Amino acid sequence: MNWINSIVRPKIRDLWKKREVPENLWIKCPETGEMVFHRDLEANLWVIPNSGHHMRMPARKRLEALFDGGKYDNVKTPEVHADPHKFRDSKRYSERLKEARARSGEEEAVLVAQGQINGMAFTAAVQNFDFIAGSLGMAAGEAILAGMLKAVQDKTPFVMFAASGGARMQEGILSLMQMPRTTVGVQMLREAGLPYVVVLTNPTTGGVSASYAMLGDVHIAEPGAQIGFAGRRVIEQTVREKLPDDFQTAEYLLDHGMVDMVVPRQKMRETLARICGILMKREIELPKLEAPKEPAPEASAEQAAKAEDPANKEAGPAS
């Protein structure tokens, strides 16, 4: 009976056990309700294949998709005081930071890296919306400034992938001061003659859209991205008017001249390389073509007509 107790019964119990399925195995499209397998979605750069809806993309994965071969070097950013005001609402701000770091695996909301796009050196910063909604605090401001200074030092274009709910309220005036500080960094790039390209992703709002996110030489938006300062409900209550359904979308801003182009995620690399190549006056190496072979010399039409003229045939040599 030993083998029945130790082998048969456990196998029977396993048949009745509920199998645990990971929650993120299938992703639902917010527009169409289509279910997409997570690996297929990741392979398509977090874009729903049929609807084209752009889902939120992890910051590290965005850097891997941006640079050649997925290779890049992290730019070291300064450390700042974690909780300068000892702020507390429903919980301590220091506890929120710990939770965000444990959940995202990152120290702050902004990642800065350097690499190559189509063989051209770039410096890029990406805001991680999963880290306290990508809010702009002291550490994020310092990271953006460090990336801009590194771009000036290495003479590379600077690309900013913006995704944020605005300034970080837990840091008060210190977070608002990052708006003029990052504006100074943008001015440094301009004085150095380096391109500053902003890619507006979903969502880009608040103090971020009121500062460095709208100061680029070129503004590119991802399809369907929500871009604005105040929320739709606040604006409707203020102006007491019904706003258009597509208000504050990337396409709406393109029609009204607020962004320069709306580019799908799959074409972002080539678009950035082309734009910055033009702005940096990069020399383009054209393929060398062999010169066409010249045809063998032929008698001219006049000489051919002269030879066929019967008068010339009858006339002999002069005596």
Side-chain angles (χ1 to χ4, degrees):
M1 295 295 291
N2 227 0
W3 64 274
I4 294 177
N5 293 329
S6 60
I7 298 176
V8 177
R9 286 184 178 177
K11 286 186 176 182
I12 294 174
R13 290 194 194 102
D14 290 340
L15 292 174
W16 296 101
K17 280 184 180 179
K18 187 178 179 180
R19 294 183 180 180
E20 295 182 1
V21 179
E23 294 181 0
N24 60 347
L25 194 61
W26 292 88
I27 311 297
K28 186 177 181 180
C29 176
E31 292 183 357
T32 62
E34 176 189 2
M35 301 298 290
V36 183
F37 190 52
H38 72 104
R39 290 183 182 175
D40 296 336
L41 187 66
E42 183 175 352
N44 203 39
L45 299 180
W46 278 264
V47 178
I48 304 295
N50 293 331
S51 66
H53 179 80
H54 283 53
M55 304 288 289
R56 192 171 295 133
M57 190 174 183
R60 290 283 178 187
K61 295 295 183 180
R62 188 179 289 276
L63 289 173
E64 292 176 7
L66 177 67
F67 293 118
D68 293 346
K71 297 179 181 179
Y72 59 88
D73 297 321
N74 293 312
V75 175
K76 188 176 181 181
T77 57
E79 294 183 2
V80 299
H81 197 292
D83 187 7
H85 297 308
K86 306 296 180 185
F87 186 88
R88 180 172 183 171
D89 44 17
S90 58
K91 64 172 66 174
R92 294 182 185 275
Y93 175 46
S94 57
E95 294 178 6
R96 292 188 184 277
L97 284 174
K98 289 179 182 178
E99 291 176 2
R101 287 167 180 166
R103 184 171 57 253
S104 65
E106 304 293 345
E107 287 297 313
E108 254 300 328
V110 175
L111 301 176
V112 186
Q114 283 188 321
Q116 291 189 340
I117 304 176
N118 290 354
M120 184 178 181
F122 273 78
T123 304
V126 179
Q127 285 187 271
N128 185 3
F129 194 82
D130 293 332
F131 193 103
I132 314 183
S135 49
L136 177 64
M138 291 190 300
E142 289 289 350
I144 294 170
L145 271 175
M148 292 177 173
L149 287 170
K150 186 68 174 172
V152 172
Q153 178 184 342
D154 297 342
K155 294 181 172 54
T156 68
F158 187 81
V159 181
M160 182 74 222
F161 288 88
S164 177
R168 191 171 298 177
M169 56 167 287
Q170 291 90 345
E171 296 183 11
I173 189 64
L174 297 177
S175 67
L176 296 178
M177 284 303 298
Q178 307 311 312
M179 296 169 63
R181 293 183 77 238
T182 51
T183 303
V184 172
V186 174
Q187 187 61 32
M188 287 190 304
L189 290 170
R190 288 183 178 165
E191 291 176 358
L194 298 171
Y196 172 50
V197 182
V198 180
V199 180
L200 301 163
T201 68
N202 185 46
T204 302
T205 58
V208 170
S209 64
S211 54
Y212 59 87
M214 284 296 176
L215 295 176
D217 299 316
V218 180
H219 292 97
I220 305 173
E222 289 188 339
Q226 181 186 358
I227 304 162
F229 178 68
R232 180 189 184 94
R233 184 182 59 184
V234 174
I235 297 174
E236 285 184 338
Q237 290 176 351
T238 302
V239 302
R240 297 182 180 181
E241 290 183 8
K242 180 68 176 176
L243 298 173
D245 293 336
D246 61 346
F247 183 70
Q248 289 186 331
T249 62
E251 292 75 13
Y252 183 90
L253 268 64
L254 178 65
D255 293 339
H256 290 77
M258 292 297 291
V259 300
D260 298 300
M261 58 184 75
V262 176
V263 179
R265 197 171 286 164
Q266 292 88 343
K267 298 181 179 179
M268 192 65 69
R269 268 172 46 88
E270 289 72 17
T271 303
L272 290 172
R274 183 173 65 254
I275 290 174
C276 292
I278 294 171
L279 295 177
M280 292 287 286
K281 299 179 180 179
R282 184 185 183 189
E283 294 183 1
I284 301 174
E285 295 183 3
L286 297 175
K288 295 181 180 179
L289 301 176
E290 295 182 1
K293 294 181 180 180
E294 295 183 0
E298 297 179 357
S300 63
E302 293 181 2
Q303 291 176 346
K306 204 171 188 182
E308 293 178 0
D309 190 357
N312 293 335
K313 291 180 180 179
E314 292 176 359
S319 54

